[in-house]
Amino acid sequence: MDLVPALEEPLKKVLGPPTAKVMAEHLGLHTVGDLLHHYPRRYEERGQLTHLADLPMDEHVTVVAMVADARLHTFASSKAPRGKGQRLEVTITDGSGRLQLVFFGNGVHKPHKELLPGTRAMFAGKVSVFNRRLQLAHPAYELLRGDSEETVETWAGALIPIYPATAKLESWKIGKAIQTVLPSAQEAVDPLPDTLREGRGLVALPEALLKIHRPHTKADIEDARSRLKWDEAFVLQVALARRRFADAQLPAVARRPGPDGLLTAFDARLPFTLTEGQQKVSKEIFDDLATEHPMHRLLQGEVGSGKTMVALRAMLAVVDAGGQAAMLAPTEVLAQQHHRSIVEMMGELAEGGMLGGAEQATKVVLLTGSMGAAARRQALLGLVTGEAGIVIGTHALIEDKVQFHDLGLVVVDEQHRFGVEQRDALRGKGKQPPHLLVMTATPIPRTVAMTVFGDLETSVLDQLPAGRSPIASHVVPAADKPHFLARTWERVREEVGNGHQAYVVCPRIGDEEDDPKKAGKKKSPEDEAEKRPPLAVLDVADHLAKGPLQGLKVEVLHGRMHPDDKDAVMRRFAAGETDVLVATTVIEVGVNVPNATAMVIMDADRFGVSQLHQLRGRVGRGSAAGLCLLVTEMPEAGAARQRLNAVAATLDGFELSRIDLEQRREGDVLGQAQSGARTSLRMLAVIEDEEIIAEAREEAAGVVAADPELTGLPGLRTALDALLDEEREQYLEKG
């Protein structure tokens, strides 16, 4: 049979090349099946309107509203010097609020004729702020006349689906395209085993697709959603369960520390006792290391909760048991820092084979891409002979040349910067697969951990060690209250005056070449009102050194500097020779300078919630209290300001990660962790659907244990293949 299955039919055959091209480029939709799985974001009811009062900034929105009034203004501009420029301002209302629409130039004629007061229409566009008021510039619109046959037909359902849209393709055009392909939904192959579907009272897949796109009642939408959520949760959990199943079949060498070895000697020299949390998590790790298949554990802990200490004890246990341990850091700055702090913590125990080294001592080597040839040769030799028990490095550790005597444990710092190819390459360096411990300081809610890191067991460190100081955080509204910004720099001077140091973080470096393509383009009036570019390290450092922080020692640090220069800057800052470090987010992960007490984050609205939390964790690491100031020019009412207020209000990373998820939608959070847009969750809300995810995980584990190859479930196999081709199953949640 040569027929392409209905759901795999390319959209360009069904909708024509121009529409298909926009759908592929802007929405990642290529086949009829993709389009059927592009679900409405919400539904409008006739007569019940979106609240204009709640419009989000900077997002594409679709609203249904009535024109209250329309005025045509003329003005002079460079293009129309004799006052011939035209601007149409239309005010629309929905009872809850009003919104201004603006049209310019030749674009005013059609709306001027059609958007008469009293007209109802759907409007779509990007919300921006002009003169402190929300507006849509040049929105697309569709009149709701309700008399012509076609509109009555299209909007006949009491519920109008509103689709995630783009500037190039409005919601109602997507809706029309979906109506065209909807009959194919009958051909959809059901991935859920019948017993599971019937046991949970879920509707069949074709019915769910029909109900999600053309609901007659709210109950239809509920039925469809609960069914489609189960699909997503279940197929994803089956993929993860298969990965866990495969990993559990691998052999590994059990690593049990000896009674009076390196670990005992290390614990004896610790100047403090481990927190309860550290002891509990260490026990979980040691139990895993003692088994004969590889440990796969995710260790998440708040910034400064002592993850490095837990990881180091695990590494020492493996060295005790005759193996080697490797720690991978995402940047050279961080690898060098881990190396310094681990050698300090171990003292003479890190001086294996050297005069003055303790008898149980081992060697701790550093391996990064920018090391000199001689030092590198020395480090490689230590690894291949087994003399070096612990190696700390960047991705340079994965190169072919690097060989281990007996690699027993790999510790990966900051998982989300580390892909599966690298993990597997490193795994291949052991005679048998090494144990794996992944650390992250980004608190991940339990459900996200189940969804994203579903093949890893999770340990959580949630107490801070004694002696860590609280961090006071405040939002500085630079546009509304410029004197607050001046006070910010006074506070930095005060901290330096008290013998402390400060960070100033900016979103950009500032030596980027201006894009000539952009420079040549004429800007329309609405572009002019758009945002200025984000503040840059080089400009801000220059301004501070000559102005508000004149007389203080100010240095810069960013990712494009030579590694030696970066290290030199960090060393001077750590030694207290620099008062203020102006940096990009290279300092986000792991930089540890206890004397730095203040952090000013410029354009804080340009950073994500978890990133701000990470950055803030760089201060308050000593006994003096920390201060974090979030500088922004965003208006008070906007979502960006609410996000910053949330960060300022709590130091609890788990609480913030929930807020972050609720605000960003999961697609972004999981987007990094799953390759490609296709696997992003469309229907499942990771926070709200905790129960479904947990139940799906159990069901999936049962299905995979009974039939690892899924031979009896062809529908599920097909859905899995759609979710991930072969490499993707390897890559899934390893972003």
Side-chain angles (χ1 to χ4, degrees), residues 45 48 159 215-223:
E45 290 181 66
Q48 184 212 348
L159 297 161
H216 293 299
T217 61
K218 288 187 176 169
D220 284 354
I221 300 171
E222 276 318 295
D223 283 354

Side-chain angles (χ1 to χ4, degrees), residues 68 80 181 190 355:
V181 300
D190 206 320
L355 270 173

Side-chain angles (χ1 to χ4, degrees), residues 204-260:
L205 183 57
E207 187 183 337
L209 290 171
L210 224 55
K211 285 184 167 175
I212 199 84
H213 293 298
R214 294 196 76 165
H216 293 299
T217 61
K218 288 187 176 169
D220 284 354
I221 300 171
E222 276 318 295
D223 283 354
R225 279 195 172 148
S226 35
R227 162 63 218 239
L228 295 166
K229 281 180 176 185
W230 252 97
D231 275 18
E232 285 183 10
F234 181 71
V235 175
L236 189 57
Q237 291 301 338
V238 166
L240 297 173
R242 292 187 68 199
R243 172 114 195 166
R244 283 197 303 278
F245 185 83
D247 284 342
Q249 312 307 311
L250 295 171
V253 180
R255 310 277 177 176
R256 298 183 184 85
D260 295 313

Side-chain angles (χ1 to χ4, degrees), residues 655-726:
E655 176 55 31
L656 285 175
S657 67
R658 286 186 84 96
I659 293 170
D660 191 19
L661 260 182
E662 279 158 10
Q663 294 202 336
R664 275 183 15 199
R665 299 288 308 157
E666 295 70 25
D668 311 353
V669 179
L670 304 178
Q672 298 174 327
Q674 299 171 1
S675 61
R678 287 287 306 280
T679 55
S680 274
L681 301 185
R682 299 182 173 89
M683 191 50 87
L684 205 60
V686 172
I687 295 275
E688 295 153 34
D689 298 324
E690 188 157 351
E691 274 174 40
I692 295 183
I693 292 170
E695 288 174 18
R697 183 176 171 137
E698 265 175 53
E699 292 269 10
V703 166
V704 171
D707 178 6
E709 289 303 307
L710 309 177
T711 34
L713 297 165
L716 179 54
R717 270 253 53 130
T718 314
L720 258 190
D721 295 341
L723 176 70
L724 25 120
D725 19 53
E726 274 313 297

Side-chain angles (χ1 to χ4, degrees), residues 501-515:
Q501 294 157 280
Y503 297 101
V504 177
V505 180
C506 306
R508 210 162 54 96
I509 297 174
D511 60 357
E512 298 88 348
E513 287 297 302
D514 273 337
D515 185 346

Side-chain angles (χ1 to χ4, degrees), residues 67 69-72 87-90 101-117 119 123 138-141 143:
V67 176
D69 85 332
R71 294 163 190 229
L72 192 59
R87 182 173 79 244
L88 175 66
E89 289 178 5
V90 178
L101 316 176
V102 233
F103 300 88
F104 290 98
N106 295 335
V108 303
H109 306 308
K110 184 167 176 269
H112 190 216
K113 283 210 295 279
E114 296 184 333
L115 296 179
L116 305 171
T119 311
F123 299 93
H138 282 285
Y141 60 88
L143 302 180

Side-chain angles (χ1 to χ4, degrees), residues 493-566:
R493 292 193 89 100
E494 286 163 20
E495 290 295 316
V496 173
N498 294 333
H500 296 301
Q501 294 157 280
Y503 297 101
V504 177
V505 180
C506 306
R508 210 162 54 96
I509 297 174
D511 60 357
E512 298 88 348
E513 287 297 302
D514 273 337
D515 185 346
K517 281 193 214 128
K518 285 184 186 158
K521 273 176 42 182
K522 277 282 194 331
K523 288 196 171 168
S524 66
E526 57 270 30
D527 283 346
E528 296 289 352
E530 269 294 4
K531 295 194 195 107
R532 57 171 176 71
L535 291 170
V537 166
L538 302 175
D539 309 340
V540 169
D542 190 48
H543 163 73
L544 292 177
K546 292 179 178 157
L549 302 183
Q550 200 171 2
L552 301 186
K553 182 126 176 46
V554 177
E555 287 212 64
V556 299
L557 178 71
H558 58 74
R560 278 213 285 274
M561 289 163 64
H562 187 278
D564 293 350
D565 298 341
K566 274 195 267 195

